[in-house]
Amino acid sequence: MKGKSHPRNDLTLNPSGNDSILDVISRLDVSRRRFVQGSASAGMLAAAGGITLSGIVNTVEAAAAAPVVGIGFEPVPASLAPVADVVTVPAGYTAKLLVAWGDPIMPGGVAFKSDASNTAAEQMKQYGMHTDGMHFFPFPSRGQILSDRGILCANNEYTHEEVLFPAGQTGSDVLGAGYTIEKCRKSQSAHGVSVTEIRRVNGKWTVVPGSVYGRRITANTPMRVAGPAAGHALMKTSEYNVTPTGSVATGKSTDGTTANGTVNNCANGVTPWGTYLTCEENWNGNFGATAALPNATTEAGKLYNRYGVAAAGAGYRWHTVDPRFDLAVNPNETNLFGWVVEIDPLDPKSVPVKRTALGRFKHESAQYVVDRANHLAFYMGDDERNEYIYKFVCDGKYNPGNNAANRNLLDEGTLYVARFDADLSGTWLALRPETIGVNGVALRDNPNFVGADDAEVLAKILIKTRMAADAVGATMMDRPEWTGARPRVNGNDEIEVYCTLTNNNRRGTATASANKIDGSTTAASARPPVDAANPMEDNIYGHIIRWRENGQSVLATGFTWDIFAQCGDTATSKAAKPTNDYKGNINDTPDGSADIGAPDGLWFDPFGRLWVQTDQLGNATGDWVNLGANSLSCADPVTKQFRRFLTGPNKCEVTGITMTPDGKTLFVGVQHPGEDALAANPTQFSSWPSSQWATRADGVTPLPAGRPRSGVVVITKNDGGIVGA
């Protein structure tokens, strides 16, 4: 996800001198193209365009049926500049605002103040800023699953500091002159996860503001650390008493099994036993140092370097007033972030758990799959240029009849990283002590991971996941973001997983380089050549990749893959490069009517339709002039047909999506409307949602003006039918 505090991916780089994609594809062994398990013969490939990029991307599963409900709406046009400051949905649908930053969601919560003068204590009981991944947990009633009452768990990824406070981050206002601990605490309180009870009353959705389920999980919430890395020396930090007025050192160290808080919560996941998984993405930017960081030749310095930690941070000033985030005095604190955190939405007193067995990186999404034998796996991306795609396979089986037996499945298993080969096969490489790296050395003997025993080696592998993936030769990808598993319905029996690859303008540059196998590469600095899985140099528009597990089992260490869609702009005037004409191959009618760039959020609904959200420049300028504002599209996984369903307000990102069990209500997130505005003029680019509505979806609660607010839109079909059908 991008935003004011997110790493940018829009630099212009030198043209490529590498092989063209035709050169890469020409080296394929046709006999090993197994994605369609034998149904894609050489004749079919020829009919689809031959052994070319077009042939690979356009060959589809021949035997599968289209989703039963189909895609039945009339697409909306792109929202071109000047972008309308509204959410647009198809004719026959209604969109309303459900909840926005600053709305009270728990007992004692107070209303949002339009001048942003709410205190840190008030923010602790309000919906957080910059909503992202989300999931609706329906309440059961008399043996039935309700579609009109439940809990919405939603991530609050980051904060726009200039809008969060009346006079901005360092200005003098009611929250203090300059940057203060009060401002820091408010920023920290706006991060994390919002747990909100919602219900539909007389056909209108509303927040239950005083619900006992209402909860904020923030950058300071006490948490438990579990799994193989718990208790390791690298997980032990300085102990602080965290209070509203400061973090006070006790002079002791933690034992490595506890942590405070979760930050930069981007995409999400759920478990089959009904808990929420929040994924920590760009946590490195929340840290800084009041002194120089260790040299990259030291263990700590190398680890900081590989994960992009810098003394200056990324715009936040937490470390200047909160020593817990100052790496000069608390050097291991970063190791407590970059995990998947499990939250029980139905138990407000439960302690969130950081599950270290799933690895430490810039997590995007945690999509679960249960195979026919009840083996369980989670698929994840690491959202940075040149990073990797992962799979975690639990040692134990999922027990659908005993949720208590499932609660610790995430603590024992094997973490794998993906290698995508040019013959359209792939291998899951186990990140285990005994795994042999590309240099012929077992990870247990690699200097980055050596330990007293294999338990310590495994702990280091999980804390330094990126380095382990470097060592075993995983495939560098173009910013792996959300993962989604196609439901096994409507004739689909495969374990078929998709991943958005948002973009990579460093792909295919003239001076090619790769992540070094010794783990010493600075985060996002490599310039990999094009390859079969990432075939476009200067891949500014991104693509979507998918794979199938061999034998329809999550235990498989082999898979087949193809590219589902290459994003682009059919009407672009950009000069083509040898491997990239920038036009993509989105399947739409008429041609170009559903072009997208920077695919990000990705989610399958229960009916088998694929929904794709974008994270491109949100004001429809520059490379995005023809694509318009950010959007939500619906796609058929069989025909690959795309239709645009929603466009967002000015300079926003469309992110986060979930649905009620009956399919009749869709929830969609709108993040950072009007980003880049300064404190002196917070509505310079957007006033959304007050620019579109006077009240929330309940028709009663007013929407104050004064500054843009991230929020969740509730969308229904006017005839009461299934959304999208």
Side-chain angles (χ1 to χ4, degrees), residues 45 178 275 465 495 502 506 509 519:
L45 285 170
T275 55
T465 303
I495 295 175
T502 296
R506 299 181 75 85
T509 57

Side-chain angles (χ1 to χ4, degrees), residues 645-670:
F645 180 81
L646 175 151
T647 59
N650 193 34
K651 293 180 76 71
C652 87
E653 174 187 347
V654 179
T655 181
I657 181 170
T658 187
M659 180 180 273
T660 53
D662 62 7
K664 296 181 178 181
T665 301
L666 187 71
F667 304 99
V668 176
V670 172

Side-chain angles (χ1 to χ4, degrees), residues 11 24 219 255 277 320 355 360 371 454 471 492 495 504 517 608 618 634 695 721:
L11 300 177
V24 175
D255 65 0
L277 301 177
T320 65
R355 301 292 188 181
R360 177 174 169 267
D371 66 19
D454 275 358
N492 174 50
I495 295 175
N504 190 352
I517 63 173
C634 189
T695 65

Side-chain angles (χ1 to χ4, degrees), residues 507-628:
R507 173 74 63 178
T509 57
T511 52
S513 62
N515 291 338
K516 297 177 182 178
I517 63 173
D518 67 356
S520 64
T521 306
T522 301
S525 67
R527 300 174 183 269
V530 296
D531 57 37
N534 304 273
M536 297 290 182
E537 61 187 292
D538 188 31
N539 187 19
I540 61 172
Y541 292 124
H543 57 295
I544 302 172
I545 199 166
R546 64 178 174 179
W547 61 91
R548 285 182 177 176
E549 297 282 29
N550 291 349
Q552 301 177 348
S553 170
V554 301
L555 301 182
T557 56
F559 58 89
T560 53
W561 65 270
D562 75 353
I563 294 175
F564 177 70
Q566 181 70 49
C567 302
D569 175 8
T570 302
T572 186
S573 59
K574 289 177 69 68
K577 293 182 179 295
T579 65
N580 190 358
D581 63 6
Y582 299 104
K583 294 182 178 181
N585 60 6
I586 296 294
N587 180 12
D588 51 10
T589 304
D591 187 31
S593 63
D595 282 347
I596 62 171
D600 193 328
L602 180 146
W603 174 77
F604 276 95
D605 67 27
F607 310 101
R609 295 169 301 183
L610 177 64
W611 298 81
V612 181
Q613 299 170 311
T614 65
D615 183 16
Q616 60 205 36
L617 188 65
N619 62 357
T621 61
D623 290 333
W624 316 98
V625 64
N626 299 318
L627 302 185

Side-chain angles (χ1 to χ4, degrees), residues 5 100-103 112 116 123 126-133 154-165 186-194 216-217 264-265 316 670-673 675 682 707-711:
S5 298
W101 161 49
D103 285 341
F112 174 77
Q123 178 66 73
Q126 296 172 324
Y127 193 85
M129 204 177 202
H130 289 347
T131 193
D132 209 293
N155 291 343
N156 302 114
E157 184 184 6
Y158 71 101
T159 55
H160 183 173
E161 303 289 89
E162 290 301 291
V163 172
L164 183 63
F165 313 110
K186 183 176 181 183
S187 179
Q188 291 170 345
S189 297
H191 275 70
V193 177
S194 294
R216 284 303 321 287
I217 296 164
N264 247 279
N265 305 82
Y316 293 104
V670 172
Q671 188 187 94
H672 63 69
E675 75 165 335
R707 57 199 57 227
R709 301 164 67 199
S710 171

